[in-house]
Amino acid sequence: FNFGVGQPGPDLLEKAFSALSGCNVFEEGDPSWILQYGTVRGSETFRRELVKFYNKHAGSTASESEVICSTGVSGGLQLLGSTLGRHGDVVFVEQPTYFLVKDIFDSIGLVTEKAPMQDGAIDFDLLTKRTEELESGGRKVAFLYCVPVHSNPTAKCYSKAYKEKLIEFCLEKDITLLADEVYELLNFGPRSVKSPPFRDLIEKGGKQDSKIISVSSFSKICGPGLRLGWILAGEEVVSKVKANGLLKSGGGLNPIVAGIMTKAWRKG
């Protein structure tokens, strides 16, 4: 076992390869749905099948309207950061955390700052104080990033109460929570996480809907070479992301691989 990297083992990759190898999307009669510039959020079919899969295995109530197709968590974070943040904005990051996330935020001009921690949890009093210090100096705290389930590198899972505390803090301080839920579906057998995903703890359609965002991926549960993932967000955020120049120019992300995954779901 290699605990130095967060990637699937050879046996899982063999199973994924076997399952996907028979999913030939080029057998479809109309090539335009797979080879043409795609719908900016990802095809309707992919989003519909994704929600069925995700809700079944995460115990979620996500809807198709919340989904944006991404190229994985890294691509999703970069897309969200470049859309919702500005150069020089601050991102609070829990400690310890995914060791490459700073590079992602650095690449789009965001400034990462370690969140103050105590006994393995964020110290909200100190975080409030630091937020006020930054904003009194003219700095904007735009995001708070966390890995709430089977966290890398601690393997810790947040309780429902702790998630609710994070939501409360972010809403009070007008900070967007970026929940990296890439390990949400990675369990030994049936889902073992007691607390629901972040977006199942908020009221959809209100302010909470625009401030609590989930990013996830097939990298850990199928294969990182797919470069396929998803963002779950409210209508306001979805509209802003759809207007990002990357999607307006290039269309939806990774439509061929999304088509392969869709066909795999349909085959069961």
Side-chain angles (χ1 to χ4, degrees):
F1 295 97
N2 181 2
F3 291 103
V5 290
Q7 64 186 32
D11 56 339
L12 178 59
L13 292 179
E14 288 177 8
K15 291 178 181 178
F17 184 85
S18 176
L20 297 177
S21 61
C23 300
N24 185 359
V25 294
F26 296 103
E27 294 175 343
E28 305 291 336
D30 179 10
S32 63
W33 79 279
I34 198 72
L35 292 177
Q36 190 55 273
Y37 286 111
T39 306
V40 292
R41 294 173 51 202
S43 76
E44 181 180 348
T45 304
F46 169 75
R47 288 183 281 118
R48 182 171 59 247
E49 294 298 326
L50 170 67
V51 164
K52 291 179 186 177
F53 170 80
Y54 179 76
N55 288 351
K56 176 182 177 181
H57 294 285
S60 179
T61 57
S63 67
E64 180 189 327
S65 63
E66 299 173 57
V67 178
I68 303 167
C69 182
S70 75
T71 55
V73 168
S74 299
L77 290 173
Q78 192 171 61
L79 184 61
L80 289 165
S82 64
T83 301
L84 305 177
R86 298 174 301 176
H87 193 278
D89 282 355
V90 175
V91 186
F92 281 130
V93 178
E94 64 177 351
Q95 299 298 310
T97 193
Y98 173 47
F99 72 103
L100 292 175
V101 75
K102 182 179 184 299
D103 295 332
I104 297 171
F105 293 133
D106 284 351
S107 71
I108 50 177
L110 300 177
V111 179
T112 56
E113 184 162 324
K114 296 177 180 179
M117 309 289 291
Q118 184 173 1
D119 299 326
I122 290 175
D123 187 320
F124 289 102
D125 290 336
L126 290 179
L127 190 61
T128 297
K129 181 180 178 181
R130 181 57 181 154
T131 300
E132 293 171 352
E133 289 174 352
L134 288 165
E135 296 191 340
S136 66
R139 303 287 299 283
K140 168 66 176 175
V141 179
F143 305 104
L144 190 156
Y145 168 84
C146 64
V147 187
V149 175
H150 306 314
S151 176
N152 179 3
T154 66
K156 185 176 182 179
C157 293
Y158 289 1
S159 67
K160 181 173 180 284
Y162 185 63
K163 287 182 178 181
E164 290 173 337
K165 182 67 175 176
L166 276 166
I167 292 170
E168 179 185 358
F169 172 83
C170 288
L171 293 176
E172 181 182 330
K173 299 301 179 184
D174 196 30
I175 295 172
T176 298
L177 177 70
L178 299 176
D180 183 344
E181 296 184 315
V182 70
Y183 298 107
E184 184 73 44
L185 304 180
L186 194 65
N187 299 281
F188 292 106
R191 188 172 187 271
S192 57
V193 183
K194 295 181 180 179
S195 60
F198 260 106
R199 286 188 52 79
D200 285 275
L201 294 174
I202 65 171
E203 180 182 347
K204 305 289 178 69
K207 180 182 179 182
Q208 296 181 353
D209 211 12
S210 64
K211 287 298 178 183
I212 310 301
I213 303 174
S214 170
V215 291
S216 195
S217 170
F218 292 100
S219 293
K220 313 303 181 185
I221 59 174
C222 192
L226 294 171
R227 304 317 311 143
L228 183 67
W230 65 91
I231 297 167
L232 295 176
E235 181 180 353
E236 180 181 343
V237 172
V238 169
S239 295
K240 290 179 179 179
V241 172
K242 284 170 61 178
N244 185 289
L246 174 67
L247 298 184
K248 288 180 70 176
S249 173
L253 301 171
N254 216 344
I256 291 179
V257 177
I260 293 171
M261 187 60 67
T262 301
K263 194 157 188 176
W265 282 324
R266 286 177 165 177
K267 287 179 64 177

